Amino acid sequence: MKKLLGKRTLKQKEAITAFLFILLPLISLIILMYYPIIRSFLISFFEWDLLREPTFTGIQNYKTLFKDEVFLEALGNTVHWVIMYVPMSVITSFALAMLLDRKLKFAGFFRTLYYLPVVCPIVVVSLLFVWIYNTDYGILNFILSKLFHMDPIGWITDAKYSLFSIAIMSVWKWAGYNMLIFLAALQGIDESLYEAAALDGVTPSQLLFKIKIPLVMPSIYFVMLTAVIDAFQMYTEIFIMTKGGPGYSTYTVSYYLWSNAFEYSKMGYACAMAVVMFVIIMAVTLVQNKIMDKRIEV
Amino acid sequence: MIKKKRSNFFAYVGVIIVAILVILPFAWMVVSAFKSQRELFAFPPTFFPSEWKFENFTEAASRGSISFVQMFFNTLKIAVPATIFNIIFSSLAGYAFARLKFPGREKIFMGFLAAMMVPFVITLIPRFLMFKDMGFYDTYVPLIVPVMFGTPFSIFLTRQFFMTLPKELEEAAIVDGCSHVRIWAQIFLPLCKPIIATLTVFQFQSSYNDFMGPVIYIASDAKFTVQMGLSSFRNSFTSRYDLIMAGSILALIPVVIIFIICQKYIVRGIAMSGVKG
């Protein structure tokens, strides 16, 4: 280092030091992030099973992909998931934030408690809910039969309910996280607005729909779009709870991609899937960033 | 005033109902872990076990393909180097981006920022092929290396923090002929203890909770991490939910301890990032 910095101006010395400081992170960024993105695009134009040499097939993988019923069903499941999960998740976490956004005793304790599921490993949560959802011995079916005399439901073994059951679990796991985001937004609202509203005799429902919700709208969009991005990448829950089944009812795009790459060794096909997901997710992310920028300005 | 009191009463009721909904699944995990197998499948089910079977825990800890202690140890082999080196390299880069002038600084920083938005699926397969070609399949290298040389998130966080520190801090040191490495190590690092705490918690948790990484790269039982070993319970102990729940509790203990001790830093991390931990 002494030699490198020897007879140079202070400015040059500073620049060289800076490059040395960022050198390893930069190399790591290029080799493990940017190069793989390009390589995914390239591999997606080949047929490659890792045993033989890859053969160039042009856009064949993409053509097959959009005729592949499992892939289309996985995409459909993702859309279905978003329609089901996003409203449940947003309403639940917003309600929690509203509850805690007042001067309650022990508010800090409850906030911590509600956050606890967020830090739990997803493997643990998935195993726990497999047991809770068990058709014959699960506590959920027992409670429902006692309270409402309902027949046992195959929460994750019946294709009608499987995706919904996982969505309920996700609400339980992530509500605390979104709650914190909403809580921060609600607490950021200027107190004087409430005072003015009280003077004008605003009703509680007006306060909610005309003042609070519009002001935290950027956070609501943010939470919604994050949920959409996560929906495409959902993997561990599926792997542990249902392996995509019953039938293909809980296949997600990530799970199907993983099976293609690491079970059937269809590298080119899996990369084509990754590229499609990449394009969709980047589009959603760009919209999300626009909203984030706005949020920061507020 | 009376109105306000009444609405607070309903708020308390609401808060407690939600608390019960949060706690109930955890409670069910705990009581199930202590039950005998016969009681687990009894009808009608009991809530509290008639006989608390502590043996379930020793059995869960030892009956997997490898012991829980070994799985913890394996996980630490990944999480500890990944976390420590990540903080060193990220804060060095963060210092350079915050304090040093060099050509292309803003553009390179944007290159790091943009990487935060890249979904992992797009890098998954080429990374796998690369590590496999280099002979690192079934080693911890692919799980440590992508984190250890600094991640965009950590670099971003340390840079933002260094930017808020006053310039005078290092000016005297520079006049005295102090090198930037020493300024970083002796002035900046000691000041950013809260950030280091936040990063440690986040990084450790993400290594500890990671499931897809080990599933893709680790093949031999002896190298299983906690999450992997636990997930294999589902196949090897079908319907032994007493053991699965006991194992889940064992896997949960470190996370909950860290959460209780460091919750201040976790909340701060979320406030600063909006990134899932």
Side-chain angles (χ1 to χ4, degrees), chain A residues 125-142 144 152-158 161-172 241-242, chain B residues 28 241:
Chain A
V125 175
S126 302
L127 288 171
L128 171 60
F129 274 80
V130 167
W131 175 222
I132 289 174
Y133 284 149
N134 186 296
T135 315
D136 301 318
Y137 306 103
I139 185 76
L140 182 62
N141 273 343
F142 176 72
L144 291 177
I153 291 174
W155 293 104
I156 54 173
T157 48
D158 184 335
Y161 301 105
S162 46
L163 206 57
F164 173 74
S165 305
I166 301 175
I168 294 285
M169 179 189 88
S170 293
V171 171
W172 182 82
M241 297 178 82
T242 63
Chain B
W28 188 241
Y241 286 103

Side-chain angles (χ1 to χ4, degrees), chain A residues 1-297:
Chain A
M1 187 137 165
K2 276 264 156 58
K3 219 179 203 172
L4 202 63
L5 295 177
K7 292 174 196 158
R8 290 174 202 265
T9 64
L10 219 57
K11 240 183 167 175
Q12 283 172 321
K13 275 185 195 171
E14 192 175 319
I16 291 167
T17 314
F19 276 119
L20 290 175
F21 277 19
I22 64 165
L23 189 62
L24 286 173
L26 189 61
I27 292 174
S28 164
L29 180 76
I30 292 167
I31 294 181
L32 291 168
M33 193 60 87
Y34 286 108
Y35 168 67
I37 296 176
I38 297 166
R39 198 161 172 222
S40 273
F41 274 89
L42 293 178
I43 297 173
S44 76
F45 297 115
F46 288 84
E47 197 185 306
W48 191 13
D49 60 4
L50 292 183
L51 299 173
R52 282 159 293 187
E53 284 297 299
T55 43
F56 183 78
T57 53
I59 58 164
Q60 188 54 47
N61 281 331
Y62 292 93
K63 278 187 185 163
T64 319
L65 194 58
F66 285 102
K67 279 186 222 135
D68 182 338
E69 278 175 20
V70 180
F71 177 72
L72 294 177
E73 184 156 355
L75 264 186
N77 285 342
T78 305
V79 174
H80 186 178
W81 170 274
V82 166
I83 293 170
M84 197 165 52
Y85 172 72
V86 170
M88 281 199 296
S89 162
V90 169
I91 292 170
T92 311
S93 3
F94 192 79
L96 292 185
M98 292 275 296
L99 266 181
L100 292 181
D101 181 38
R102 42 174 90 216
K103 293 179 186 73
L104 294 183
K105 277 178 196 159
F106 312 116
F109 166 77
F110 286 112
R111 198 183 54 201
T112 305
L113 181 67
Y114 296 174
Y115 196 75
L116 195 58
V118 180
V119 293
C120 290
I122 187 70
V123 175
V124 169
V125 175
S126 302
L127 288 171
L128 171 60
F129 274 80
V130 167
W131 175 222
I132 289 174
Y133 284 149
N134 186 296
T135 315
D136 301 318
Y137 306 103
I139 185 76
L140 182 62
N141 273 343
F142 176 72
I143 292 174
L144 291 177
S145 79
K146 276 283 157 206
L147 290 181
F148 308 109
H149 303 287
M150 276 167 67
D151 288 332
I153 291 174
W155 293 104
I156 54 173
T157 48
D158 184 335
K160 270 200 303 253
Y161 301 105
S162 46
L163 206 57
F164 173 74
S165 305
I166 301 175
I168 294 285
M169 179 189 88
S170 293
V171 171
W172 182 82
K173 178 159 180 10
W174 293 112
Y177 177 82
N178 296 330
M179 172 197 75
L180 278 194
I181 294 179
F182 290 145
L183 206 51
L186 283 172
Q187 286 169 350
I189 297 176
D190 199 339
E191 282 288 331
S192 61
L193 262 175
Y194 293 145
E195 284 158 23
L199 281 179
D200 289 342
V202 168
T203 64
S205 73
Q206 278 176 326
L207 188 69
L208 176 62
F209 288 105
K210 296 273 161 66
I211 297 177
K212 286 188 176 172
I213 290 182
L215 279 173
V216 299
M217 214 52 205
S219 303
I220 294 177
Y221 284 135
F222 174 76
V223 166
M224 285 167 67
L225 292 171
T226 308
V228 174
I229 295 172
D230 290 348
F232 280 96
Q233 315 212 49
M234 188 166 60
Y235 167 80
T236 306
E237 301 88 317
I238 307 297
F239 184 96
I240 305 247
M241 297 178 82
T242 63
K243 301 254 185 242
Y248 293 105
S249 63
T250 54
Y251 258 81
T252 59
V253 185
S254 274
Y255 188 74
Y256 191 47
L257 184 150
W258 178 87
S259 335
N260 270 290
F262 303 108
E263 279 185 320
Y264 320 135
S265 288
K266 287 161 127 182
M267 292 300 165
Y269 196 49
C271 277
M273 237 176 272
V275 167
V276 172
M277 274 175 78
F278 176 72
V279 171
I280 298 174
I281 291 175
M282 286 321 271
V284 178
T285 307
L286 287 179
V287 176
Q288 192 188 43
N289 278 5
K290 281 257 159 68
I291 293 161
M292 274 298 264
D293 289 345
K294 260 197 200 144
R295 199 165 75 131
I296 287 163
E297 278 162 29

